[in-house]
Structures are given as structure tokens and as C-alpha cells.
Amino acid sequence: MRHLISPLDFSVEETNELLSLAEEIAADRSRFSHVAEGKKLATCFYEPSTRTRLSFEAAMLNLGGSVLGFSSADSSSAAKGESVADTIRVISCYADICAMRHPKEGAPLVAAMHAGIPVINAGDGGHNHPTQTLTDLLTIKALKGHLDNLTIGLCGDLKFGRTVHSLINATVRYPGVKFVLISPEELRLPGYIRKDVLDANHIEYKEVDVLEEVMPELDILYMTRVQRERFFNEEDYIRLKDSFILDTKKMRYAREDMLVLHPLPRVNEISTEVDKDPRAAYFKQAQYGVYVRMALIIKLLGLEVPTC
Amino acid sequence: MLNIGGLHQGVVIDHIPAGGAMRIYDYLNLDALDAEVAIIKNASSKKMGRKDIIKIEGPITIDLDTLAVLYRGITINIIENDEIVEKRGLRLPERVTNIIRCKNPRCITSIEQELPHVFKLADEKTGVYRCIYCEERFKMK
Ligand SMILES: [Zn+2]
């Protein structure tokens, strides 16, 4: 039985296969609307994350399956002190597949070790969030047509942002990928990722702190939130925050086919005036997130796909 | 140097930092072993100044490589028919259970007491292990 716990659990070939299936789904959703009939997805969310939970539920409903679950620790047996291992053993009797979100790192792995059904990590603390990474890959693949030979700009909080770290890990597996790391000094990419991932794979990258300058080079601009609490003082935050906000003025420097991605929710790091720009892909990204979860459920459950 | 007669068959755990022998004795639970055990403390060593040595007579079935979590520099001499047939450093075990404890407060092991603390070897050269749950790093000394 396969699970999805870490973004690198699937090989490049398996990932490509999954993305191709997701693209087929995007092209003709109705063909897939009965493939999971009679199957149940349990969403076990020990902390609320409405967006992720609804994306999983929408995916299962689109496949003709049904959903059950809980959306916070206090509405679950965890509040009574039940271990993750025991909970998943019980859930395995009720459902065919489980998406688990947990504030503690490694909880979905513990679940996978004791489950009788496939477990999908829907986010474990600041650790992994593999379906977000698959969503990002699908968005790029579907809108750009390829995942290799891309210059990817990563902007904002590169120090704590796990989506950025996972995306780097996943995209370095494709040839010809370069990175432009755009962040304030205080929020630069951690040294171990530069060393163990970028340097170890001989990946070309540069670190800058002005977004405008590098805009013309980018195929993808991946925006993340710069949080106030990451700064030591208010002045630094105010001084720096505008440099990392994307607005129409900065978009003028970008190529016509550049894509703007963002894991959402956004706060103010992308000005709403950018939403109308055809290069803004972050709402499409949310749609691709449902397609990639549909593909993932089909793969992990080994469901038959009707041919067209 | 105090000489304890050579072994006919058994193992010599050498290059233990001085004062470390009892820790290893306890760790390997040698107390419970029905065999002759000699502990030599503060032996002089060119390399280490002072060192401890443990000699165990008889066939050994204990996995000595897990000693790496205590002292990585230990060497093992295997003796058969009065001769050293193998002399080696410790091989780092691929996976250790309940030997290294995960100290990451965000790790699932921090709230579920009954979970085993499992670390996997991530880099043999540097002796780096990582928690299988949260990837917390641990470096063997
Ligand atoms: Zn841990």
C-alpha cells in the first residue's frame, strides 16, 4: 500500500504520471465523475485548515466518492488522549483513504505505519505539505507545458516558508532549473538547503533583495507572505515590506509569459490590482490543487479510469 | 600496562575514552552476560593518553555497532583461536531505536510518549542521523 507523506515519496516518473493524470482530469472532468463511487475519504484534521480540507473533499466528491471526518483536535478523540496510531486503526475501518493534518511533525507518518488504508499528509506542522508541492508542480506543468529549463523566482519569507523549501526539493529533480531567491537579509533561504540541495545538485542560483531588478529573468514568480512577527523591529518590517509586495508597477518588468504563483491565503503581498493580470495564476492554482488531489486519490486507491 | 591474559575466543572493545567503560558495560547489559568480562581502566594509549578497554570471553551475539551512539571512536577486535581475526572501527547502524531521543518540541514524539524514537542514518561520512518523524538532526560524537 502506498502513502504520500513527504513530497519526495514519489519518484520523478511517478510524479510525472500523476501530473499527466491530473491534466487529463482538468481536460475532461466528467469522465472521472464516477471513478470513486462507493469509496470514502476521511479528512482527519487535528488543526483547522479549511482551504486544504475543502480541496480534499471537493476532489473526492468530484470523483463520485463521499467524505467524512473531523476538522479540529477538540472535536476528535485526540481530545480524550487517543494516540494517532489508535485513531488511524479505527478510521481504517470506516474509510478507504485518509487525509491527515496535524500540528506535530511526523504524525501522518505514524498514521501511515499503523493504517490499513492509504494516508495522505495534508500538512504536519511546519514540516511537509506534499499536496501543496504537487499543486505547484501541476500549475507550472499545465500552464508552462514543462517543468525543466525554468528560472524560478522565490520571493518573501524563504527562511521559514516550508512550501518554498519543498518546491525547491521537488523542482531540482528536473534538468535546467535555476533559482532567483528574493528576500530580505533576515529571511534568506537556510544554509542547509543551499548546501544540501542547491550546491549538492549543482543548481545555479542567486540571492537578491530587490524584486524589480530580476523580474525580466523569471519564468515563474512564487510569492510567499512576509510576516510581521518574523522581524525584530517594526521599522525593519515597514522599511522592507513594500520591497516584497507585488503590484502592477513591478509586473511591468516581467515577461509576458511569466506566471505568478502563491500558495494562498494572501494577505497583502500581492496587491489585488494584479489579480486581473493574465499572468496571475494563483486562483487557477487552487483549481489545480483539486485536480491533483483527484489524481492522487485515484492513484493511491488504484481506481480504474474509464478510457475516453 | 596491567596484563589480563589474552582471549582464546571473544571480543576486545578498545579505544574507549578513559572513564567510559562502565557506561558501555551498562549499555550492553554485560552484567547479565554469562561470560568472563575484564574491564581495564586508564590504560595508557599513544593516541588517547588514557583509555579504557573491555575484554569479553566467548562467542558474542550483541550488536556492538550501536556503541557508536556512545563513543564513535571505539575499535572492535574479534579474537578466534588466540588470534585477532578482525580489527575494525564501528559501522554506523542504518537505524537506531530508542537510543537517540528526539529533542524537537514540534515532533509527534513530544506528545505521544509511547512512540519509539527512531533515527535513520542520513550521512555516513559525517555521522548524521535524522528522526524518521520530523527529520531532526543528530550527530554522532
Ligand atoms: Zn522527531
Side-chain angles (χ1 to χ4, degrees), chain B residues 25-43:
Chain B
Y25 187 88
D26 290 336
Y27 180 81
L28 293 177
N29 203 14
L30 294 179
D31 212 17
L33 193 71
D34 185 23
E36 275 182 44
V37 176
I39 294 171
I40 300 159
K41 291 187 59 175
N42 294 322

Side-chain angles (χ1 to χ4, degrees), chain B residues 102 104 107-109 119 131 133-136:
Chain B
C102 184
N104 176 5
C107 180
I108 183 69
T109 55
F119 276 71
C131 172
Y133 308 107
C134 71
E135 296 174 63
E136 176 82 350

Side-chain angles (χ1 to χ4, degrees), chain A residues 1 38 48 66 90 167 180 217 248 257 272 275 286:
Chain A
M1 195 180 14
S66 41
V90 174
L167 186 61
V180 180
E217 304 167 29
T248 46
D257 61 350
T272 51
D275 298 356

